[in-house]
Amino acid sequence: PTRPNPLEVTVTDGIRVTHTKGNGWNDGDMYVSQFNLTISNDSGIDLTSWQIEIYKPSLESSIVNFWGCEFVETDDKFIIVGNSETRTIANGSSRNMGLQVKLPNSDDDLEILTALGKGIVIES
């Protein structure tokens, strides 16, 4: 196991997530919607990793396809993290990703609960 870096900090201020809902289609008694997400870093430090927590609308909801990220699903949340290409975000930059999410109906949207980043602070 790796040891935590004592200079690493967790920040929420300056981390912003926006999303747009795209096309969708019926899938049995559920509806699949496509979402494009952008996480922006204006925290003042370069991020070495980030995480977005999204409210899961129902127990039956699931992510059926994704790009630009990785995820873990719990009973009540989707936890989205960066993949090898999107994990780091320089201060003043952003990363884009997408999800196709199976939802109870076509009117459902994603609710972003929290977003955070981790970075190394080196004082000069």
Side-chain angles (χ1 to χ4, degrees), residues 77-115:
K77 288 186 258 188
F78 299 121
I79 301 170
I80 311 297
V81 297
N83 64 19
S84 61
E85 296 175 1
T86 62
R87 184 174 296 123
T88 61
I89 309 175
N91 184 49
S93 298
S94 62
R95 296 289 189 192
N96 298 309
M97 71 222 70
L99 306 171
Q100 291 175 338
V101 183
K102 193 177 280 193
L103 301 165
N105 63 65
S106 63
D107 295 331
D108 288 333
D109 200 353
L110 295 182
E111 179 184 349
I112 308 297
L113 298 172
T114 60

Short mmCIF file of all heavy atoms in Angstrom, two decimals, residues 77-115:
data_model
loop_
_atom_site.label_atom_id
_atom_site.label_comp_id
_atom_site.label_asym_id
_atom_site.label_seq_id
_atom_site.Cartn_x
_atom_site.Cartn_y
_atom_site.Cartn_z
N LYS A 77 -26.07 6.21 -4.42
CA LYS A 77 -25.20 7.17 -5.12
C LYS A 77 -24.44 6.51 -6.26
O LYS A 77 -24.17 5.32 -6.22
CB LYS A 77 -24.15 7.75 -4.17
CG LYS A 77 -24.64 8.71 -3.15
CD LYS A 77 -23.46 9.29 -2.40
CE LYS A 77 -23.34 8.63 -1.07
NZ LYS A 77 -22.36 9.23 -0.20
N PHE A 78 -24.08 7.35 -7.23
CA PHE A 78 -23.05 7.03 -8.20
C PHE A 78 -21.84 7.87 -7.79
O PHE A 78 -21.96 9.08 -7.60
CB PHE A 78 -23.46 7.43 -9.62
CG PHE A 78 -24.69 6.76 -10.13
CD1 PHE A 78 -25.78 7.51 -10.53
CD2 PHE A 78 -24.77 5.38 -10.25
CE1 PHE A 78 -26.92 6.91 -11.03
CE2 PHE A 78 -25.91 4.77 -10.74
CZ PHE A 78 -27.00 5.54 -11.14
N ILE A 79 -20.69 7.26 -7.65
CA ILE A 79 -19.47 7.98 -7.31
C ILE A 79 -18.57 7.92 -8.54
O ILE A 79 -18.12 6.85 -8.95
CB ILE A 79 -18.78 7.36 -6.08
CG1 ILE A 79 -19.74 7.40 -4.88
CG2 ILE A 79 -17.48 8.09 -5.77
CD1 ILE A 79 -19.29 6.61 -3.68
N ILE A 80 -18.36 9.09 -9.15
CA ILE A 80 -17.62 9.21 -10.40
C ILE A 80 -16.21 9.71 -10.09
O ILE A 80 -16.05 10.66 -9.32
CB ILE A 80 -18.33 10.22 -11.34
CG1 ILE A 80 -19.83 9.92 -11.46
CG2 ILE A 80 -17.64 10.28 -12.69
CD1 ILE A 80 -20.18 8.61 -12.05
N VAL A 81 -15.20 9.09 -10.68
CA VAL A 81 -13.80 9.52 -10.52
C VAL A 81 -13.15 9.56 -11.89
O VAL A 81 -13.65 8.97 -12.85
CB VAL A 81 -13.01 8.58 -9.56
CG1 VAL A 81 -13.59 8.61 -8.15
CG2 VAL A 81 -12.96 7.17 -10.10
N GLY A 82 -12.03 10.23 -11.96
CA GLY A 82 -11.30 10.32 -13.22
C GLY A 82 -10.63 9.00 -13.59
O GLY A 82 -10.25 8.23 -12.72
N ASN A 83 -10.50 8.78 -14.89
CA ASN A 83 -9.74 7.62 -15.34
C ASN A 83 -8.29 8.04 -15.57
O ASN A 83 -7.90 9.15 -15.21
CB ASN A 83 -10.37 7.00 -16.60
CG ASN A 83 -10.37 7.92 -17.80
OD1 ASN A 83 -9.62 8.88 -17.87
ND2 ASN A 83 -11.21 7.62 -18.76
N SER A 84 -7.50 7.19 -16.17
CA SER A 84 -6.08 7.50 -16.33
C SER A 84 -5.84 8.76 -17.16
O SER A 84 -4.84 9.44 -16.98
CB SER A 84 -5.34 6.31 -16.95
OG SER A 84 -5.86 6.02 -18.24
N GLU A 85 -6.76 9.10 -18.06
CA GLU A 85 -6.60 10.28 -18.90
C GLU A 85 -7.20 11.55 -18.30
O GLU A 85 -6.81 12.65 -18.68
CB GLU A 85 -7.23 10.03 -20.27
CG GLU A 85 -6.55 8.92 -21.04
CD GLU A 85 -7.24 8.60 -22.34
OE1 GLU A 85 -8.26 9.24 -22.68
OE2 GLU A 85 -6.77 7.68 -23.03
N THR A 86 -8.16 11.41 -17.38
CA THR A 86 -8.87 12.59 -16.86
C THR A 86 -8.67 12.82 -15.37
O THR A 86 -9.25 13.73 -14.80
CB THR A 86 -10.39 12.48 -17.14
OG1 THR A 86 -10.91 11.32 -16.45
CG2 THR A 86 -10.68 12.37 -18.62
N ARG A 87 -7.84 11.98 -14.73
CA ARG A 87 -7.69 12.04 -13.27
C ARG A 87 -7.15 13.38 -12.78
O ARG A 87 -7.58 13.90 -11.77
CB ARG A 87 -6.76 10.90 -12.83
CG ARG A 87 -6.60 10.79 -11.33
CD ARG A 87 -5.80 9.55 -10.95
NE ARG A 87 -6.55 8.36 -11.34
CZ ARG A 87 -6.09 7.41 -12.15
NH1 ARG A 87 -4.89 7.48 -12.65
NH2 ARG A 87 -6.83 6.37 -12.46
N THR A 88 -6.17 13.94 -13.48
CA THR A 88 -5.57 15.19 -13.04
C THR A 88 -6.25 16.37 -13.74
O THR A 88 -6.64 16.27 -14.90
CB THR A 88 -4.06 15.23 -13.32
OG1 THR A 88 -3.85 15.11 -14.72
CG2 THR A 88 -3.34 14.10 -12.60
N ILE A 89 -6.38 17.48 -13.01
CA ILE A 89 -6.94 18.71 -13.58
C ILE A 89 -6.10 19.87 -13.07
O ILE A 89 -6.08 20.16 -11.86
CB ILE A 89 -8.41 18.94 -13.17
CG1 ILE A 89 -9.27 17.71 -13.43
CG2 ILE A 89 -8.97 20.16 -13.91
CD1 ILE A 89 -10.71 17.85 -12.94
N ALA A 90 -5.43 20.54 -13.98
CA ALA A 90 -4.65 21.72 -13.61
C ALA A 90 -5.58 22.82 -13.14
O ALA A 90 -6.75 22.90 -13.57
CB ALA A 90 -3.82 22.20 -14.79
N ASN A 91 -5.10 23.68 -12.25
CA ASN A 91 -5.88 24.83 -11.82
C ASN A 91 -6.28 25.65 -13.06
O ASN A 91 -5.46 25.88 -13.94
CB ASN A 91 -5.07 25.68 -10.84
CG ASN A 91 -5.89 26.82 -10.30
OD1 ASN A 91 -7.01 26.63 -9.85
ND2 ASN A 91 -5.33 28.01 -10.35
N GLY A 92 -7.54 26.05 -13.13
CA GLY A 92 -8.04 26.83 -14.26
C GLY A 92 -8.49 25.98 -15.44
O GLY A 92 -8.88 26.52 -16.47
N SER A 93 -8.45 24.64 -15.30
CA SER A 93 -8.82 23.74 -16.39
C SER A 93 -10.07 22.93 -16.02
O SER A 93 -10.58 23.03 -14.91
CB SER A 93 -7.68 22.78 -16.70
OG SER A 93 -6.54 23.48 -17.14
N SER A 94 -10.51 22.12 -16.97
CA SER A 94 -11.67 21.27 -16.74
C SER A 94 -11.50 19.95 -17.47
O SER A 94 -10.62 19.81 -18.33
CB SER A 94 -12.94 21.98 -17.20
OG SER A 94 -12.89 22.25 -18.58
N ARG A 95 -12.34 19.00 -17.14
CA ARG A 95 -12.38 17.68 -17.79
C ARG A 95 -13.82 17.37 -18.14
O ARG A 95 -14.74 17.70 -17.40
CB ARG A 95 -11.84 16.58 -16.87
CG ARG A 95 -10.38 16.73 -16.52
CD ARG A 95 -9.52 16.44 -17.70
NE ARG A 95 -8.12 16.38 -17.29
CZ ARG A 95 -7.12 16.37 -18.13
NH1 ARG A 95 -7.34 16.41 -19.41
NH2 ARG A 95 -5.89 16.31 -17.69
N ASN A 96 -14.00 16.68 -19.26
CA ASN A 96 -15.34 16.29 -19.72
C ASN A 96 -15.49 14.78 -19.65
O ASN A 96 -14.52 14.04 -19.85
CB ASN A 96 -15.57 16.75 -21.16
CG ASN A 96 -15.51 18.24 -21.28
OD1 ASN A 96 -16.16 18.96 -20.55
ND2 ASN A 96 -14.69 18.73 -22.20
N MET A 97 -16.70 14.34 -19.39
CA MET A 97 -17.01 12.92 -19.35
C MET A 97 -18.47 12.73 -19.71
O MET A 97 -19.23 13.70 -19.80
CB MET A 97 -16.71 12.32 -17.98
CG MET A 97 -17.66 12.76 -16.89
SD MET A 97 -16.91 13.13 -15.32
CE MET A 97 -16.04 14.62 -15.62
N GLY A 98 -18.88 11.50 -19.92
CA GLY A 98 -20.26 11.22 -20.26
C GLY A 98 -20.76 9.96 -19.60
O GLY A 98 -19.99 9.04 -19.30
N LEU A 99 -22.07 9.95 -19.39
CA LEU A 99 -22.74 8.80 -18.78
C LEU A 99 -24.03 8.52 -19.53
O LEU A 99 -24.71 9.46 -19.97
CB LEU A 99 -23.12 9.08 -17.32
CG LEU A 99 -22.06 9.54 -16.34
CD1 LEU A 99 -22.70 9.97 -15.04
CD2 LEU A 99 -21.05 8.44 -16.11
N GLN A 100 -24.38 7.27 -19.66
CA GLN A 100 -25.72 6.87 -20.07
C GLN A 100 -26.31 6.17 -18.86
O GLN A 100 -25.76 5.18 -18.38
CB GLN A 100 -25.68 5.97 -21.29
CG GLN A 100 -25.24 6.71 -22.53
CD GLN A 100 -25.08 5.82 -23.74
OE1 GLN A 100 -24.90 4.61 -23.62
NE2 GLN A 100 -25.12 6.42 -24.92
N VAL A 101 -27.40 6.75 -18.34
CA VAL A 101 -27.95 6.32 -17.06
C VAL A 101 -29.37 5.81 -17.26
O VAL A 101 -30.21 6.49 -17.86
CB VAL A 101 -27.94 7.48 -16.04
CG1 VAL A 101 -28.46 7.00 -14.69
CG2 VAL A 101 -26.54 8.06 -15.91
N LYS A 102 -29.63 4.62 -16.74
CA LYS A 102 -30.97 4.05 -16.77
C LYS A 102 -31.76 4.66 -15.61
O LYS A 102 -31.35 4.56 -14.44
CB LYS A 102 -30.90 2.53 -16.64
CG LYS A 102 -32.20 1.83 -16.96
CD LYS A 102 -32.06 0.33 -16.89
CE LYS A 102 -31.41 -0.19 -18.15
NZ LYS A 102 -31.52 -1.67 -18.26
N LEU A 103 -32.88 5.31 -15.93
CA LEU A 103 -33.69 6.04 -14.96
C LEU A 103 -35.14 5.56 -15.00
O LEU A 103 -35.58 5.00 -16.00
CB LEU A 103 -33.65 7.54 -15.29
CG LEU A 103 -32.27 8.19 -15.30
CD1 LEU A 103 -32.32 9.54 -15.99
CD2 LEU A 103 -31.76 8.33 -13.88
N PRO A 104 -35.90 5.82 -13.93
CA PRO A 104 -37.30 5.40 -13.92
C PRO A 104 -38.14 6.02 -15.05
O PRO A 104 -39.01 5.37 -15.60
CB PRO A 104 -37.81 5.85 -12.55
CG PRO A 104 -36.58 5.85 -11.70
CD PRO A 104 -35.48 6.30 -12.61
N ASN A 105 -37.89 7.30 -15.40
CA ASN A 105 -38.66 7.90 -16.49
C ASN A 105 -37.86 9.00 -17.19
O ASN A 105 -36.82 9.43 -16.70
CB ASN A 105 -40.02 8.43 -16.00
CG ASN A 105 -39.88 9.53 -14.99
OD1 ASN A 105 -39.38 10.60 -15.33
ND2 ASN A 105 -40.30 9.30 -13.76
N SER A 106 -38.35 9.46 -18.31
CA SER A 106 -37.61 10.39 -19.17
C SER A 106 -37.44 11.78 -18.55
O SER A 106 -36.56 12.53 -18.97
CB SER A 106 -38.30 10.52 -20.52
OG SER A 106 -39.60 11.05 -20.36
N ASP A 107 -38.24 12.15 -17.56
CA ASP A 107 -38.14 13.46 -16.93
C ASP A 107 -37.07 13.52 -15.85
O ASP A 107 -36.72 14.61 -15.38
CB ASP A 107 -39.48 13.88 -16.32
CG ASP A 107 -40.55 14.07 -17.37
OD1 ASP A 107 -40.20 14.42 -18.52
OD2 ASP A 107 -41.73 13.85 -17.06
N ASP A 108 -36.55 12.38 -15.42
CA ASP A 108 -35.55 12.36 -14.36
C ASP A 108 -34.25 13.01 -14.81
O ASP A 108 -33.86 12.90 -15.97
CB ASP A 108 -35.27 10.93 -13.90
CG ASP A 108 -36.41 10.35 -13.10
OD1 ASP A 108 -37.14 11.12 -12.47
OD2 ASP A 108 -36.58 9.12 -13.12
N ASP A 109 -33.61 13.70 -13.89
CA ASP A 109 -32.34 14.37 -14.15
C ASP A 109 -31.34 13.92 -13.08
O ASP A 109 -31.72 13.29 -12.09
CB ASP A 109 -32.54 15.89 -14.09
CG ASP A 109 -31.44 16.67 -14.79
OD1 ASP A 109 -30.44 16.06 -15.22
OD2 ASP A 109 -31.57 17.90 -14.89
N LEU A 110 -30.08 14.24 -13.26
CA LEU A 110 -29.06 13.94 -12.26
C LEU A 110 -29.02 15.04 -11.22
O LEU A 110 -29.14 16.22 -11.55
CB LEU A 110 -27.68 13.82 -12.92
CG LEU A 110 -27.48 12.69 -13.90
CD1 LEU A 110 -26.04 12.69 -14.41
CD2 LEU A 110 -27.81 11.34 -13.29
N GLU A 111 -28.82 14.66 -9.98
CA GLU A 111 -28.64 15.61 -8.89
C GLU A 111 -27.22 15.43 -8.34
O GLU A 111 -26.89 14.39 -7.76
CB GLU A 111 -29.66 15.38 -7.78
CG GLU A 111 -29.51 16.32 -6.62
CD GLU A 111 -30.47 16.01 -5.47
OE1 GLU A 111 -31.40 15.21 -5.63
OE2 GLU A 111 -30.25 16.60 -4.39
N ILE A 112 -26.39 16.46 -8.56
CA ILE A 112 -25.02 16.42 -8.08
C ILE A 112 -25.03 16.71 -6.58
O ILE A 112 -25.53 17.76 -6.15
CB ILE A 112 -24.13 17.45 -8.81
CG1 ILE A 112 -24.25 17.32 -10.33
CG2 ILE A 112 -22.69 17.36 -8.33
CD1 ILE A 112 -23.79 16.03 -10.92
N LEU A 113 -24.51 15.80 -5.78
CA LEU A 113 -24.49 15.99 -4.33
C LEU A 113 -23.24 16.72 -3.88
O LEU A 113 -23.33 17.71 -3.16
CB LEU A 113 -24.59 14.63 -3.62
CG LEU A 113 -25.88 13.84 -3.88
CD1 LEU A 113 -25.78 12.45 -3.28
CD2 LEU A 113 -27.07 14.58 -3.31
N THR A 114 -22.08 16.22 -4.25
CA THR A 114 -20.82 16.86 -3.87
C THR A 114 -19.77 16.65 -4.96
O THR A 114 -19.88 15.72 -5.75
CB THR A 114 -20.24 16.29 -2.55
OG1 THR A 114 -20.00 14.89 -2.72
CG2 THR A 114 -21.15 16.53 -1.38
N ALA A 115 -18.80 17.53 -4.96
CA ALA A 115 -17.64 17.37 -5.83
C ALA A 115 -16.42 17.83 -5.04
O ALA A 115 -16.48 18.83 -4.34
CB ALA A 115 -17.80 18.20 -7.10
#
